[in-house]
């Protein structure tokens, strides 16, 4: 090309007509080749832009729409001619500014048929020139995610009001029956009431786990720290699990060195109850669950050791994930949702602590919870 440019610049007047025609033909062929390469590149770019599952739009320096992709037009149910030249603010009236935060903006957009859709807009600057800045916008349809969120919130409120309250009433009536408030119970009647109590406790724990997950996700959950002792936490947790252990014929023992520290008593009891009920649940009749507490450096340590089937190496981290259950066939059908350990881990981490498990994968597991001694919360 350079050679031809030089010749075109300097030697044209020395070339014969035939040479000139040949040069023009060569240049024409090259031009066609470049044009078809350019067309091919555009086609590729267009097909990539159309296959991205996001609406895309390019704005000129005055914030008017210059180009859109197919996804955006489908989302808005509009043709490209209808969108071309329209101001971005006409399309997204909630959008305050094109400048500023890198965070996506949540907006509403109205489609051609009048549907109101929730979208997330990410704004990027394409380039700057003397006329201003051009912008490139990603538009993500989040209407399904918003619907799910609303559904999740109404489910959480239903769980909280419509299920938990009657369960609490049922538990107190069952306890009164067992305590003989309505007359003496026969042996098998007493057994039936115990089972009903255990089932209602199981449901209460499940509901509490579901509500906690919801709170953890919506960042509504905060610690309520106060001065407490490891002895108080262990004793309370044991008393909550003793009926369950008795029924499962698993012995609960405790070796408690009570230490004063600062923590959220209710949440720490929940962790221990989860660990103890798991120890009981995964042990066979005749098994043992031993709870131990002490100090290690600046941490209060709680250990829950059981005589269950143990946990395989590859599952040791996974079981702390939500809805994760390890080898249910080996353990038989133990009802559960795989939430207890995930919530326990969140609670431990909120305290700046951690939870782990030791097991040879055959003969029992030891869950270890470490919580920093902490300091008295500041009084404001
Ligand atoms: P759930 O027990 O309700 O399924 P968790 O989150 O408490 O949920 O436990 C997750 C999984 O970890 C359990 O399903 C089980 O496979 C395993 N696991 C937990 N604790 C023990 C234990 N003490 N012994 C053996 N396996 C356990």
């Amino acid at each position: 090309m350079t050679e031809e440019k030089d010749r075109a610049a300097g030697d044209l007047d020395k070339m014969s007509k035939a040479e000139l025609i040949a040069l023009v033909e060569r240049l024409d062929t090259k031009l066609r080749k470049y044009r078809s390469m350019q067309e091919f590149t555009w086609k590729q770019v267009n097909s990539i832009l159309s296959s991205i599952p996001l609406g895309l739009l390019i704005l000129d320096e005055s914030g008017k729409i210059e180009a859109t992709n197919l996804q955006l037009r489908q989302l808005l149910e509009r043709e490209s001619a209808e969108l071309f030249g329209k101001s971005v603010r006409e399309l997204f009236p909630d959008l305050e500014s094109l400048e500023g935060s890198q965070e996506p903006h949540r907006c509403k957009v109205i489609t051609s048929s009048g549907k109101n859709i929730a979208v997330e807009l990410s704004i990027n600057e394409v380039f700057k020139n003397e006329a201003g800045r051009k912008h490139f916008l990603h538009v993500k349809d989040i209407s399904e995610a918003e619907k799910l969120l609303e559904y999740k919130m109404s489910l959480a409120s239903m769980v909280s009001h419509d299920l938990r309250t009657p369960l609490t009433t049922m538990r107190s009536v069952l306890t009164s029956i067992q305590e003989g408030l309505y007359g003496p119970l026969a042996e098998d009647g007493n057994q039936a009431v115990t089972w009903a109590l255990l089932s209602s406790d199981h449901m209460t724990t499940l509901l509490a786990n579901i509500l906690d997950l919801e709170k953890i996700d919506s960042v509504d959950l905060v610690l309520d720290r106060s001065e407490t002792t490891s002895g108080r936490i262990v004793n309370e947790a044991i008393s909550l699990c003793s009926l369950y252990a008795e029924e499962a014929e698993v012995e609960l023992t405790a070796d408690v060195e009570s230490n004063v520290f600062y923590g959220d008593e209710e949440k720490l009891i929940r962790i221990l109850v989860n660990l103890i009920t798991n120890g009981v649940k995964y042990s066979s009749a005749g098994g043992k669950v031993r709870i131990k507490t002490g100090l290690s450096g600046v941490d209060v340590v709680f250990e829950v050791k059981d005589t269950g089937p143990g946990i395989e190496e590859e599952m040791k981290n996974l079981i702390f994930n939500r809805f994760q259950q390890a080898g249910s066939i080996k353990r038989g059908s133990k009802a559960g949702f795989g939430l207890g350990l995930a919530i326990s881990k969140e609670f431990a981490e909120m305290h700046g602590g951690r939870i782990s498990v030791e097991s040879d994968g055959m003969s029992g597991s030891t869950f270890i919870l470490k919580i920093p001694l902490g300091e008295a919360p500041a009084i404001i």
Side-chain angles (χ1 to χ4, degrees):
M1 188 72 179
T2 326
E3 187 196 323
E4 267 134 20
K5 223 166 108 188
D6 289 347
R7 291 189 65 167
D11 305 342
L12 279 183
D13 47 348
K14 294 184 193 146
M15 289 167 79
S16 68
K17 191 175 167 196
E19 277 179 323
L20 274 173
I21 292 172
L23 176 63
V24 169
E25 276 173 358
R26 274 206 306 280
L27 287 174
D28 187 52
T29 316
K30 283 201 171 164
L31 201 62
R32 277 174 209 269
K33 205 169 119 200
Y34 288 128
R35 277 217 187 105
S36 86
M37 273 167 64
Q38 198 184 24
E39 250 172 55
F40 179 69
T41 313
W42 265 116
K43 273 189 190 149
Q44 276 187 325
V45 171
N46 266 330
S47 85
I48 292 170
L49 291 183
S50 313
S51 66
I52 293 176
L54 282 176
L56 304 174
L57 64 142
I58 298 176
L59 305 180
D60 69 10
E61 294 83 352
S62 62
K64 294 214 165 76
I65 297 172
E66 222 174 44
T68 54
N69 75 341
L70 182 69
Q71 272 70 10
L72 185 86
R73 297 194 293 272
Q74 283 176 343
L75 178 73
L76 302 179
E77 303 165 341
R78 287 181 200 273
E79 297 298 326
S80 80
E82 286 177 80
L83 294 167
F84 184 78
K86 214 179 180 68
S87 155
V88 69
R89 290 204 180 76
E90 251 182 90
L91 209 57
F92 307 104
D94 309 341
L95 180 64
E96 281 169 12
S97 158
L98 288 172
E99 319 301 332
S101 117
Q102 295 289 305
E103 293 291 306
H105 302 247
R106 279 169 175 256
C107 296
K108 294 272 180 205
V109 64
I110 300 176
T111 69
S112 168
S113 62
K115 268 189 273 163
N116 208 329
I117 297 182
V119 292
E120 213 170 63
L121 286 186
S122 302
I123 303 169
N124 304 283
E125 202 178 291
V126 197
F127 65 77
K128 228 196 269 186
N129 59 19
E130 55 290 349
R133 297 153 196 253
K134 278 190 179 236
H135 290 93
F136 176 59
L137 272 63
H138 302 175
V139 185
K140 188 171 165 196
D141 178 359
I142 53 164
S143 49
E144 281 305 311
E146 295 252 305
K147 260 191 240 155
L148 270 178
L149 196 71
E150 264 173 43
Y151 176 66
K152 215 174 112 188
M153 278 161 66
S154 57
L155 189 72
S157 112
M158 187 271 281
V159 164
S160 157
H161 300 115
D162 302 345
L163 294 179
R164 218 159 50 146
T165 315
L167 259 179
T168 314
T169 314
M170 267 166 60
R171 195 181 202 293
S172 85
V173 171
L174 286 168
T175 311
S176 304
I177 294 174
Q178 199 167 48
E179 285 168 355
L181 198 73
Y182 305 105
L185 275 179
E187 179 68 16
D188 51 355
N190 193 43
Q191 183 62 55
V193 174
T194 302
W195 285 333
L197 272 172
L198 285 172
S199 302
S200 86
D201 287 350
H202 180 61
M203 266 187 86
T204 307
T205 310
L206 275 180
L207 297 185
N209 284 345
I210 292 170
L211 288 175
D212 281 339
L213 272 187
E214 158 66 21
K215 285 194 199 136
I216 289 167
D217 289 346
S218 59
V219 208
D220 267 357
L221 201 69
V222 282
L223 284 188
D224 182 11
R225 280 184 213 252
S226 59
E227 185 182 296
T228 181
T229 68
S230 40
R232 191 148 73 217
I233 288 168
V234 170
N235 290 336
E236 183 62 22
I238 290 183
S239 89
L240 288 168
C241 300
S242 57
L243 181 62
Y244 182 53
E246 212 176 287
E247 279 302 303
E249 293 173 41
V250 172
E251 188 191 345
L252 288 188
T253 58
D255 174 2
V256 178
E257 176 198 304
S258 191
N259 290 290
V260 178
F261 72 106
Y262 291 90
D264 184 325
E265 226 172 65
E266 201 191 307
K267 292 190 182 59
L268 293 171
I269 292 170
R270 286 277 309 283
I271 302 181
L272 274 201
V273 168
N274 273 329
L275 298 182
I276 299 170
T277 45
N278 276 351
V280 171
K281 180 160 68 172
Y282 297 107
S283 294
S284 315
K288 287 190 173 117
V289 173
R290 182 162 184 243
I291 301 107
K292 213 173 130 188
T293 69
L295 280 184
S296 162
V298 291
D299 292 328
V300 188
V301 183
F302 298 86
E303 274 184 26
V304 179
K305 185 178 170 68
D306 65 56
T307 52
I311 294 165
E312 297 87 348
E313 195 56 39
E314 62 276 18
M315 292 309 296
K316 281 185 186 163
N317 286 327
L318 294 178
I319 54 172
F320 293 99
N321 294 341
R322 292 177 186 190
F323 303 108
Q324 188 76 52
Q325 294 178 302
S328 53
I329 298 165
K330 185 175 161 191
R331 288 176 180 86
S333 56
K334 309 275 185 181
F337 282 97
L339 291 179
L341 288 181
I343 289 168
S344 301
K345 182 171 175 259
E346 299 268 2
F347 285 175
E349 288 173 356
M350 282 174 83
H351 281 85
R354 60 198 178 282
I355 185 166
S356 58
V357 63
E358 287 175 0
S359 172
D360 62 4
M362 289 178 294
S363 52
S365 326
T366 306
F367 282 83
I368 302 157
L369 168 69
K370 290 190 177 174
I371 300 291
L373 287 167
E375 287 169 10
I379 298 162
I380 304 164

